[in-house]
Structure formats: structure tokens, C-alpha cells
Amino acid sequence: MEAKEIKNGWFELTVANFNLNNQTNNNRTFQFPTNLFINNDFIESNSKQTFLTFNPSNENPICSVAKGTNNDVELAVSAAKKASEFNSEWSLLTPAARGALLYKFADLIEQNREELATLESLDVGKPILESYNYDLKQVINAFRYFAGWTDKIHGSHIPFSKDYYCLTTHAPYGVVGLILPWNFPLQLLSWKLAPCLATGNTVIIKPATETPLTTLYLGKLIKEAGFPPGVVNIISGPGSAVGSTICSHPLIDKIGFTGSTEVGRQVQILAAKSNLKPCTLELGGKSPVIVFDDVADIDSAVVNSFHGLFWNAGQCCSAGSRIFVHENIYDTFITKMIALAEKRKIGNPLDYQTEQGPQVSKAQMDSILEYVEIGKKENARLVYGGHRVGNKGFYVAPTIFVDVTDNMTICKEEIFGPVMCILKFKDTEDVIRRANDSIFGLVGAVYTVNGSKAMAVANRVNTGLIWLNSYNIIEPSVPWGGVKQSGYGKDLSQYAIETFTVIKSVVIPSKL
């Protein structure tokens, strides 16, 4: 294994070239937990079983991780329920005190930023500077943003008659289950966990089995920050046992899920069949990017579209995987895109020079390469990539298909890998129709120098978020969430506060 077990449920890792701030050659050793985190303690699974998590860059195991069971979920639910009860330590905290805990937690994440970024890159396969400069920045900013919201969650006064008026309050749901994907373990967790805690809920978290390490590390920081026992619980393990039990548990009051549309359907079914618990679902995407021939800076549009698709080796729900380019600039756009792909450095995720790491697993790599073959069989024109890189690690070359048509499989289904589809268009009305011809509706982008046209197209493209002359501009204050089969509900922003609270109405006589 790459990490050395130093005691039960704790591993030690030594990493070279660790000083990310000045990028000097430096060895550093740190320790991290791999047991379940329940009631502020790291404990073995009820079954005593473990599973291996792998480094996708070399296919070697990193360490063993506790394999949670439905019995472990029961233990976590009991702890979370107790922590959410009336007069519990957590419920008696003032909103400002909750905010102070979240600020302290954010500070601890920042202090452990190098360790967390290293574990994230090792477990997921993403480049270290991507994890450190982007993912961890997003995580820290999210917790600080929602820390500032804790004492600003107010109800309303509704004077509806001379004899009565109504006061509304925003109360926490109680126990919330959060189920997360493997592509952005920390970042996507922070988008849900931060507002969930800011509003006073208690939480049971299930990280993806492929990438559990950084989430378990957060348990250490939760305890260090001073959160009361039972407020945050983390259970690693298979979805068939842990995830299903969370979704169907009658004492869990709400579910927040990020993942595939297929699994999202099952989450919603289990939640409905149990206690009709509400769900927030952030699911798949096949996002349209529309580049008009009057784009102000074609080079910028190419670069933004390049990173919008190939970021995190294409393993993004928001990947701009359908790029509609006006026929007048179509060939130029393709030439410039291929030039960027040719320069892309693929390699070890812990190398500062690496721009693209491996896919997260062999299964994911094989799925992507199968889509490449489907694209070729359906007569899309492959102009770059389309193959595995090397024979060790799950690397796939940045892949560009052109002359793609709307009915092709690679244009309709979410590939979740570094496969770009470039389509030609001529007419504005037609490209809007084609952009909307998808079961998904997460994000999109429009490139044009004409502000009126940009807004008109943005208003008619049916996605939850759309960028104008930019891509992947993400801030905690900006709502995130899709429409159609990309899910419903919002992460980030003040709307996430509403997502994790129940509105209660109290009708009061004007004269008591």
C-alpha cells in the first residue's frame, strides 16, 4: 500500500514535493483516519470489514477503509437524532455560536489544506494544483459564506387581517442524510454540509466508496472545531447497504444527493417509500455551449470551452460536452481546440506540471473508451485522442469529435470523461431548439459580443445556470442546481438555506 497503517484505522503517508505554496522539494509525513466517524469518535464498522481504496494513477491500493453496514447507519441515526433534540447542546447554541463553529471549521480546513489536497489528488486522480487552488478554495469559501448566514435566517410578519397576523419561522429539518459522488468529494460535500449545519440540522454523510479519504479526514476537524457529538457522522461503505439505508430510514428527515440521474431516481423512490422525506437532487448533465460567429474573443471562447469539458479529466456534471459553433468560425474553432489538446500534459496527479490525471477507476475508463468506439461507429469524426494513455493507470487522452449530430449517442448521453462533441449551427432559433433537445438541464454557456442576443438566448436555454462569455464561474453566493433530469433544489447561495429549513407558520390573534 502507498500509506502505512500505524494503528487500527489510522494511516501515515509521506509525500514528496509537498510545499505547495512555494513548490520547493520537500518531504512531509501526515496521518489520516479510515474508520467510521460516529458521535465524535472514529470506530470500526459493526462488521469489522474493510475495503480498499485505490490510486487511479498507478492502480495500487492506498489503504483499507472501514466498510459500513446498515447497523452502523442505525448507530449514526441514533447519535444524530439525540444531537438534534430539543434542549440538546447543538439546539441550544445561538445562531452566532453556530456561525463561530463554522468559521473555526473553515480555518482548520485551511490549516490542513495541503494534506486534504494531497489526499484528494491521490484518491480521485485530479492534479494537485487543481485540488489545492480550486477545490479547497471552494470548500473554505463555502463554509465561511454559510457561517455568515447563521444569524440572518429570519421569518416574516404577515398582517392578513385586523384580528389576526402570522409569523413564520425557518426551522431545521432535523436529521439530514448527505450522499456524495466521487468526482469532487470535498467541494460538493461543502456545498451541502455548510448550509445544512448553518441552519441547525444534524448530518449523516456517505462519501463515495471510490474516494472516501478526505471526507473521513473532515471528521477529525469536526471534532477539533468543537462541534457537539452526533452533529456530524460519516459512514463509508457501499451504496447498496449504507446509501439505501440512509434513503429509506424513517428517522432521517431529508436527503441531499449528488450523483447520476439513474441513482438519483432510486434515491427518490426509497425516500418516498419510507417517510416521504424530501430530497434535493443534483444529477447529470449534457451541457450546451453556444459560440456565435460574433464572439468578441474566439481564443477565450476556445480556452473556456476546453477547460469547461476537460477539467477533472471530464468527470464533471457541468462539463460543456455539447459545443455548438457557428458555421462561419467552425473550422477555426476546431483547429484552435486541437492545438490546446496537443499541449495538454497528462501525468502523475502529484506532479505540479500535470494538467490532467487519470479517470477515477478502470470501470470509468472502460466506459469512456466504449463511448469513443460508439462515436466512431456512428460516424462522428474523431480528430484527436480517443485512446488510453500508457498501460498503467486509468488515463484517457483528451478526445475531440467533430461533425457530431444531435441524434448520436455521444451527443445525447452523459459520458463523464474527456470526450468533447463539436456541432455546427447556422440559425439562432435552430441552435436554441437543439440546445434544449436533451433530458438534462444543468448548466450552459453563450458566447457573443451582442449583449441583447446573449440575454435572449440565455433566457430561452432551459438550464438551471448559464454563463455568458465565460464558464465555470462558481461562487458560494450564486445558486447551483438544474432542471429536467439534472435534478431539483439548489446548492450554494441563500436558496440553499431554504433547502435545509422547514417554514412554520404561527397564526396569532391581534388581541391575546
Side-chain angles (χ1 to χ4, degrees):
M1 293 190 187
E2 301 200 346
K4 179 178 67 175
E5 189 168 16
I6 55 173
K7 58 182 178 181
N8 183 30
W10 285 85
F11 283 78
E12 186 172 83
L13 186 67
T14 299
V15 183
N17 297 334
F18 196 88
N19 193 333
L20 290 167
N21 289 317
N22 54 31
Q23 298 184 15
T24 58
N25 291 328
N26 180 27
N27 283 358
R28 182 170 174 182
T29 299
F30 67 94
Q31 299 172 359
F32 58 94
T34 60
N35 274 340
L36 313 179
F37 183 72
I38 299 175
N39 212 30
N40 269 13
D41 287 322
F42 285 103
I43 63 173
E44 290 182 303
S45 165
N46 178 265
S47 69
K48 309 296 183 185
Q49 292 184 333
T50 61
F51 64 94
L52 294 175
T53 183
F54 289 85
N55 180 342
S57 70
N58 58 23
E59 305 178 38
N60 294 331
I62 302 169
C63 63
S64 59
V65 179
K67 186 178 182 179
T69 66
N70 58 336
N71 289 329
D72 296 307
V73 175
E74 292 292 344
L75 188 62
V77 169
S78 178
K81 195 71 177 175
K82 184 177 180 180
S84 69
E85 288 176 351
F86 181 71
N87 278 343
S88 68
E89 181 182 358
W90 177 241
S91 66
L92 290 176
L93 286 179
T94 65
R98 279 205 311 274
L101 278 177
L102 285 168
Y103 277 123
K104 185 175 182 180
F105 185 51
D107 291 344
L108 288 170
I109 293 172
E110 190 163 45
Q111 292 167 24
N112 289 263
R113 186 171 182 170
E114 293 182 351
E115 290 88 343
L116 287 165
T118 301
L119 279 178
E120 199 83 317
S121 290
L122 198 65
D123 215 11
V124 181
K126 63 177 60 185
I128 183 66
L129 292 186
E130 198 172 291
S131 296
Y132 185 86
N133 291 332
Y134 183 80
D135 290 28
L136 267 297
K137 177 185 176 183
Q138 286 279 334
V139 172
I140 294 163
N141 287 351
F143 280 106
R144 286 180 175 156
Y145 172 82
F146 285 105
W149 263 103
T150 57
D151 58 357
K152 301 172 185 67
I153 303 170
H154 306 305
S156 302
H157 169 245
I158 307 170
F160 61 87
S161 79
K162 67 181 182 61
D163 297 319
Y164 294 91
Y165 64 95
C166 175
L167 296 180
T168 63
T169 61
H170 293 252
Y173 272 95
V175 180
V176 177
L178 299 180
I179 302 174
L180 283 306
W182 46 255
N183 57 333
F184 291 89
L186 278 183
Q187 181 185 335
L188 296 180
L189 171 60
S190 72
W191 290 8
K192 287 178 166 59
L193 180 59
C196 192
L197 294 177
T199 50
N201 295 281
T202 61
V203 192
I204 299 169
I205 303 166
K206 185 216 168 296
T209 51
E210 295 88 348
T211 56
L213 297 183
T214 50
T215 303
L216 289 168
Y217 195 101
L218 285 190
K220 170 176 172 284
L221 305 185
I222 284 286
K223 187 171 183 177
E224 190 175 340
F227 284 87
V231 172
V232 176
N233 306 274
I234 305 168
I235 307 179
S236 51
S240 57
V242 178
S244 295
T245 304
I246 290 173
C247 293
S248 59
H249 202 288
L251 296 182
I252 293 179
D253 303 297
K254 179 178 169 61
I255 296 292
F257 172 81
T258 299
S260 70
T261 298
E262 179 183 4
V263 177
R265 284 195 185 94
Q266 297 306 310
V267 167
Q268 186 166 267
I269 290 169
L270 289 172
K273 283 185 175 180
S274 55
N275 57 344
L276 279 177
K277 63 176 71 68
C279 300
T280 300
L281 304 176
E282 201 270 79
L283 307 176
K286 196 70 180 177
S287 299
V289 176
I290 302 172
V291 186
F292 287 95
D293 59 348
D294 63 350
V295 59
D297 183 352
I298 189 171
D299 290 326
S300 176
V302 170
V303 169
N304 286 342
S305 299
F306 181 85
H307 291 298
L309 187 282
F310 294 120
W311 188 263
N312 196 28
Q315 298 169 140
C316 305
C317 56
S318 61
S321 49
R322 292 185 298 147
I323 304 179
F324 298 90
V325 182
H326 194 276
E327 61 180 10
N328 291 345
I329 58 171
Y330 184 74
D331 292 337
T332 300
F333 188 96
I334 292 170
T335 299
K336 290 178 179 291
M337 188 64 73
I338 293 172
L340 285 181
E342 289 172 342
K343 297 175 183 176
R344 191 154 179 84
K345 180 173 175 54
I346 301 173
N348 181 355
L350 298 184
D351 185 333
Y352 299 128
Q353 304 303 314
T354 295
E355 296 173 330
Q356 181 175 316
Q359 313 309 132
V360 76
S361 65
K362 184 179 186 300
Q364 189 63 23
M365 177 186 71
D366 290 345
S367 173
I368 294 163
L369 294 176
E370 183 178 347
Y371 272 111
V372 170
E373 293 306 310
I374 290 172
K376 290 191 288 187
K377 287 178 183 178
E378 294 185 348
N379 294 321
R381 184 158 60 94
L382 179 66
V383 294
Y384 192 82
H387 59 270
R388 181 178 184 178
V389 176
N391 55 17
K392 192 71 171 177
F394 309 125
Y395 293 92
V396 176
T399 298
I400 303 172
F401 279 104
V402 303
D403 299 342
V404 177
T405 58
D406 301 305
N407 63 336
M408 290 181 178
T409 302
I410 59 172
C411 190
K412 295 175 76 69
E413 297 183 9
E414 185 178 35
I415 298 173
F416 224 65
V419 179
M420 176 180 287
C421 297
I422 303 180
L423 304 88
K424 185 186 295 185
F425 80 92
K426 179 179 181 179
D427 176 73
T428 299
E429 288 295 320
D430 185 55
V431 78
I432 293 172
R433 178 191 60 78
R434 294 168 65 192
N436 287 333
D437 184 20
S438 172
I439 64 172
F440 301 109
L442 186 57
V443 301
V446 177
Y447 291 87
T448 173
V449 74
N450 186 321
S452 297
K453 179 165 67 175
M455 284 303 300
V457 175
N459 287 334
R460 293 177 59 193
V461 172
N462 192 15
T463 59
L465 185 156
I466 194 158
W467 291 286
L468 301 183
N469 296 317
S470 58
Y471 208 89
N472 273 345
I473 306 302
I474 300 171
E475 286 295 325
S477 57
V478 178
W480 181 278
V483 297
K484 299 191 283 188
Q485 292 186 41
S486 289
Y488 56 83
K490 295 297 180 185
D491 290 331
L492 301 178
S493 80
Q494 69 186 68
Y495 297 102
I497 295 293
E498 298 175 7
T499 291
F500 288 104
T501 56
V502 178
I503 299 175
K504 183 174 185 177
S505 301
V506 181
V507 176
I508 307 168
S510 299
K511 295 180 179 180
L512 290 174

